[in-house]
Amino acid sequence: MKPIIYYLGAVALTLASCTKEADTIIEVVKEPEAGLQAQLQIVPSPEIATDYREQWRPQIHFTPRQNWINDPNGMVYADGTWHLYYQYNPSGQNWGNMSWGHATSPDLFHWTEQPVALLPDELGYIYSGSAVVDKNNSAGFGAGALVAIYTAHGVNEQQCIAYSTDGGMTFTKYEGNPVIKNTSHGDYRDPKVFWSDDYGCWYMIFALGGEHSAQIWKSDNLKEWKLCSTFSVGSYVGCNQGVWECTDMFTLDYKGEKKYVVTVNVSGGFPNGGGSGTMYFVGSFDGRRFIADRYSYPLWQELGLDNYASVTWSNTGDRRICIGWMNNQLYSGNYPCSPWRSSMTLPRELSLVEYEGIPLLRNVIAPEIECIAGEWRAASPALGIADAYQLEVPVSLSSDCVITLGNAAGDEYEVKVDATNRRLIIDRGGRTGSYSAREFPLTNVCGSLNTTADEVVLEFYVDQSSVEITTADGSLCMSTLVFPATIYDRLNIEGQNLSPKVRDLSRIW
C-alpha cells in the first residue's frame, strides 16, 4: 500500500518524540518552504493472511487481524449494527500512530474488521472518544449522521469532531476543529457525549488525568460547547492515584430511582496488583453538576486484572452495554502474541442493585452470547473443548472449595472459593502458562462475591488466552489474561461434590 502522508505544524516534532518506545515508523522532514510545517508519514503494515488460529489468538473475543489495539472508543449502535472503534496502530504491534480502527457486528459477537476510520492530522494523534447518532440534525451534517467526538493529541490535547453520512464507514473532520481548545492542561482527553432528554441538549464529560477530575460541558449542536462544571473527589484519597482516563456518564435505575453513574478508568491504584482499573461513582445530575452520593469510594466495576478503558455504547435505549480493553497498563507492552496485540473483553450489560447499603454495579455477559452457544452438558474432568467454552459451577457457601482448570502441558489456573469471607481468590502465578513481565504473575487476586445467599453460581468464560469469571447475577466479575500452552481443557474440583455443566462457544471468525 502507498504511504499515507499528513502535514503537521510544530506539533509534528512532539509526535515524533512520543514514539521512542513505539514502532519506528514515523519520519519527520522539515519542509523548507513551509516554515514550521513538517511531514508525518504513516506506513501501514502489509496485510497478512490469517485464519485467526495463531497460538493464544482469542476465538470469541475481538482482536484485529494484526497490529496493536488498546482502548475501545466511539462505540455506537445504529441501524441494526454495533460499531466498535478502538485505538489502533496501523503500522505495527507496539503503541504508536494512534488512529481509530473499526469493526462492526450484527450481534455483539461476530465482528468484521473495517478500514481505519480516523487517522492523525495537523492537530495530532486521534485519541479516544465517543460517537452519537444525531437524529435531529442538530449539528447540520444531516439527520441521522454519526458524529464522532475525539481527542486530538498534539502539543496540547483538544476535543474535535468528525461526521459520517454513510453509516459510520467513513468520516469527514469538521473544519472548525478543535471544538474545545486547550492550552493549559496536560492530560485533557477521552470525551464521552450523550443526549439528555431531561435538559434538551448534548453533554460531554472527559478526564483531566493528572488533576484527578473530569469536566462536564454542554452543547446544542455538537460544535459550540460551554463548560458546566468540574467533578473531582479530593476527599477520597483512594480515587486520586494514577491518571484519570476514559470517563463515561450514563443513567441506570436504582431501587426505582434514576441515578447517574460516572465511570473513570485509572492507570494506577487498582486493589489487585496496583495497576489499572475502572472506578464508578453513583449520584445525581442537575443539568450542570454531577454530585456523587456519599459512599466509601473508590468503588470498582470489577476486580479482575484485565479490564481497562471500559465504556458503554451509545444509542442503546435503556440498555447499558460496555466493553473494555483486556489488558493492564502494568504489562500491556509485554503481550506475547503476534501478529496482533491485545483483545477486547466480552461485552457486558450493566445494572445497579443494592448490596450492604451500597449500589453495586453488576456486570452480566451480554445475552447475545446465545448466538455462539451450544447445548449444555454435564462437565467431566476431560472437558473436550477445542475453541472456547462456558463452564457453570453452582457452589455452596457452607465450605471452601478449589476449582482448577488445566491442560496436558501442566498449566493450571486455580480459583478458590473462600466461603468464610465470601470471596473468590484467583491464582495467576507462574503455573498458568507463559508470561514475559514480572508484574504478570499474581497469586492472590481477590474479589468479593457480593451475596448473602447460601449458594453462588460461577460462570467461567474460557478462551485461548483469557478467563472471565462472573456470578450468574453479575454481582462479581473478574477478567484475567493467561497464556497456557493450549486452552485449559481439564477440570478438577476439590472440597465439595459439585455438578458443573459446560457448553461450547463457537469461534466468531
Side-chain angles (χ1 to χ4, degrees):
M1 295 175 63
K2 294 180 64 177
I4 302 171
I5 298 173
Y6 297 91
Y7 291 92
L8 304 183
V11 66
L13 299 177
T14 301
L15 294 179
S17 67
C18 288
T19 63
K20 290 189 294 185
E21 303 295 332
D23 287 296
T24 320
I25 52 72
I26 290 184
E27 179 184 357
V28 176
V29 182
K30 190 82 172 280
E31 291 286 319
E33 56 275 68
L36 291 175
Q37 291 231 328
Q39 186 183 82
L40 174 65
Q41 189 174 31
I42 294 182
V43 183
S45 300
E47 289 192 8
I48 64 158
T50 178
D51 60 359
Y52 294 85
R53 288 285 193 186
E54 299 92 350
Q55 184 178 25
W56 300 316
R57 170 79 81 169
Q59 297 300 296
I60 59 171
H61 295 76
F62 174 76
T63 54
R65 173 185 294 270
Q66 64 196 76
N67 296 338
W68 168 280
I69 63 169
N70 54 285
D71 308 354
N73 37 232
M75 294 131 61
V76 62
Y77 178 70
D79 298 323
T81 297
W82 298 88
H83 292 268
L84 171 63
Y85 301 93
Y86 46 87
Q87 293 287 275
Y88 182 63
N89 181 358
S91 305
Q93 291 187 61
N94 296 318
W95 183 95
N97 314 302
M98 285 293 99
S99 308
W100 274 24
H102 183 204
T104 54
S105 174
D107 57 20
L108 281 172
F109 283 88
H110 296 92
W111 293 100
T112 300
E113 192 170 355
Q114 305 291 351
V116 176
L118 289 170
L119 286 154
D121 58 22
E122 68 277 3
L123 294 176
Y125 284 167
I126 310 297
Y127 269 20
S128 293
S130 54
V132 296
V133 178
D134 188 10
K135 298 177 183 177
N136 298 320
N137 194 24
S138 66
F141 302 134
L146 268 60
V147 180
I149 308 94
Y150 62 92
T151 297
H153 174 81
V155 172
N156 299 108
E157 293 186 339
Q158 307 182 93
Q159 315 319 322
C160 298
I161 64 175
Y163 61 94
S164 172
T165 57
D166 62 359
M169 303 309 293
T170 61
F171 283 88
T172 300
K173 292 171 184 171
Y174 175 50
E175 61 183 10
N177 282 335
V179 295
I180 297 180
K181 297 180 180 180
N182 167 43
T183 59
S184 57
H185 299 280
D187 304 314
Y188 196 72
R189 59 176 173 264
D190 310 334
K192 178 62 183 290
V193 170
F194 63 95
W195 173 263
S196 170
D197 284 329
D198 291 338
Y199 301 104
C201 63
W202 297 100
Y203 285 96
M204 178 194 299
I205 184 170
F206 59 85
L208 284 68
E211 300 172 48
H212 303 119
S213 59
Q215 287 186 346
I216 298 174
W217 296 65
K218 71 176 182 178
S219 173
D220 293 325
N221 59 14
L222 295 168
K223 299 174 181 177
E224 299 163 315
W225 292 88
K226 180 180 179 180
L227 178 62
C228 295
S229 61
T230 300
F231 168 65
S232 61
V233 284
S235 61
Y236 298 103
V237 177
C239 300
N240 294 340
Q241 301 184 58
V243 172
W244 282 27
E245 297 182 307
C246 299
T247 52
D248 199 348
M249 187 171 175
F250 50 88
T251 59
L252 285 172
D253 178 83
Y254 181 56
K255 300 192 298 182
E257 181 182 0
K258 182 168 73 173
K259 284 292 184 178
Y260 281 81
V261 179
V262 168
T263 60
V264 178
N265 288 271
V266 290
S267 63
F270 188 61
N272 283 317
S276 55
T278 307
M279 303 184 299
Y280 70 94
F281 304 88
V282 178
S284 60
F285 181 63
D286 63 4
R288 188 170 65 89
R289 295 183 303 157
F290 171 79
I291 301 172
D293 294 341
R294 293 186 175 274
Y295 296 110
S296 182
Y297 298 109
L299 299 172
W300 298 94
Q301 182 174 332
E302 76 152 90
L303 288 173
L305 297 168
D306 297 299
N307 178 18
Y308 188 64
S310 176
V311 287
T312 59
W313 264 273
S314 298
N315 200 41
T316 56
D318 293 333
R319 298 183 73 191
R320 296 290 176 261
I321 309 293
C322 72
I323 201 169
W325 177 41
M326 190 174 280
N327 216 322
N328 192 302
Q329 290 200 359
L330 279 177
Y331 43 75
S332 58
N334 289 296
Y335 195 97
C337 299
S338 180
W340 84 101
R341 183 71 58 86
S342 278
S343 65
M344 299 300 175
T345 66
L346 294 178
R348 296 106 179 260
E349 188 155 2
L350 303 176
S351 61
L352 282 176
V353 295
E354 184 178 25
Y355 176 70
E356 295 186 341
I358 294 173
L360 177 68
L361 188 60
R362 296 194 302 187
N363 293 246
V364 175
I365 301 301
E368 284 86 346
I369 197 169
E370 294 297 326
C371 72
I372 62 169
E375 297 295 323
W376 287 106
R377 63 182 183 275
S380 60
L383 293 171
I385 300 293
D387 294 323
Y389 60 94
Q390 179 182 354
L391 174 70
E392 186 174 282
V393 186
V395 177
S396 169
L397 294 179
S398 62
S399 62
D400 294 352
C401 74
V402 177
I403 302 166
T404 303
L405 303 176
N407 60 24
D411 301 321
E412 291 186 338
Y413 180 92
E414 182 182 284
V415 177
K416 179 181 179 181
V417 178
D418 177 1
T420 302
N421 298 296
R422 291 178 173 258
R423 61 179 184 166
L424 211 64
I425 305 172
I426 296 172
D427 181 353
R428 195 186 66 179
R431 296 181 299 144
T432 58
S434 299
Y435 59 91
S436 56
R438 62 181 177 81
E439 300 91 350
F440 189 84
L442 289 172
T443 59
N444 196 39
V445 183
C446 300
S448 173
L449 290 167
N450 299 315
T451 183
T452 58
D454 296 328
E455 182 182 271
V456 65
V457 178
L458 299 178
E459 307 279 359
F460 294 72
Y461 298 87
V462 184
D463 205 343
Q464 299 290 319
S465 53
S466 64
V467 179
E468 287 171 88
I469 304 175
T470 71
T471 51
D473 65 358
S475 63
L476 167 141
C477 187
M478 301 180 76
S479 305
T480 47
L481 287 171
V482 287
F483 299 102
T486 60
I487 193 171
Y488 301 128
D489 57 1
R490 298 183 180 186
L491 172 66
N492 183 61
I493 299 175
E494 298 177 353
Q496 292 188 30
N497 184 20
L498 303 178
S499 300
K501 60 181 182 179
V502 67
R503 62 179 180 174
D504 295 272
L505 299 175
S506 58
R507 65 193 303 258
I508 62 176
W509 309 113

